[in-house]
Amino acid sequence: QVRLVESGGGLVQAGGSLRLSCEASGGSSITYGAAWFRQAPGKDRTLIASLDWKSGTGTYAHNVKDRFTISRDYAKNTMFLQMTSLKPEDTAVYYCRAGFGNLGIYWGQGTQVTVSS
């Protein structure tokens, strides 16, 4: 069974850094749709970074561009989100998402990131 398991969230002070990981398991490989979303309390889930799985090229929402970096370890079927210069408004639950060929799109369980001022 395909699963995405996230790790790396936590509490950090403003200006600090965190690295989130999202590992795929279940024997199938990520082929498309790799991305990170976040959902702050009382707000909708929003896309913050997406990754072309083949090329490794990332694209970003304007409010995280130049602070966050999406990447992947192709061989380990794992994606990452390196977050720097964190701000209190980055506080949210972060979700990874990925597509597995004809199996469709899967989501991780979410990991809490809290940035204190």
Side-chain angles (χ1 to χ4, degrees):
Q1 183 178 357
V2 173
R3 289 183 65 202
L4 290 172
V5 179
E6 299 160 9
S7 60
L11 173 64
V12 64
Q13 288 189 328
S17 300
L18 281 175
R19 188 190 196 211
L20 306 183
S21 298
C22 174
E23 181 177 6
S25 63
S28 296
S29 297
I30 296 172
T31 57
Y32 69 99
W36 288 92
F37 291 71
R38 70 185 183 189
Q39 187 167 18
K43 296 190 177 181
D44 293 334
R45 189 176 299 188
T46 59
L47 175 66
I48 56 171
S50 59
L51 183 72
D52 182 297
W53 192 252
K54 278 192 175 179
S55 70
T57 302
T59 56
Y60 303 90
H62 69 90
N63 53 347
V64 304
K65 188 175 174 60
D66 298 327
R67 298 189 299 123
F68 291 10
T69 302
I70 187 171
S71 63
R72 52 103 167 99
D73 185 324
Y74 194 90
K76 293 184 178 180
N77 227 12
T78 300
M79 73 172 88
F80 307 97
L81 186 68
Q82 178 69 48
M83 305 184 292
T84 64
S85 302
L86 282 161
K87 306 174 181 180
E89 51 264 43
D90 294 317
T91 294
V93 178
Y94 284 69
Y95 298 89
C96 63
R97 181 203 74 183
F100 296 81
N102 60 3
L103 295 178
I105 293 283
Y106 286 77
W107 291 83
Q109 81 283 2
T111 186
Q112 177 69 46
V113 172
T114 303
V115 184
S116 63
S117 57

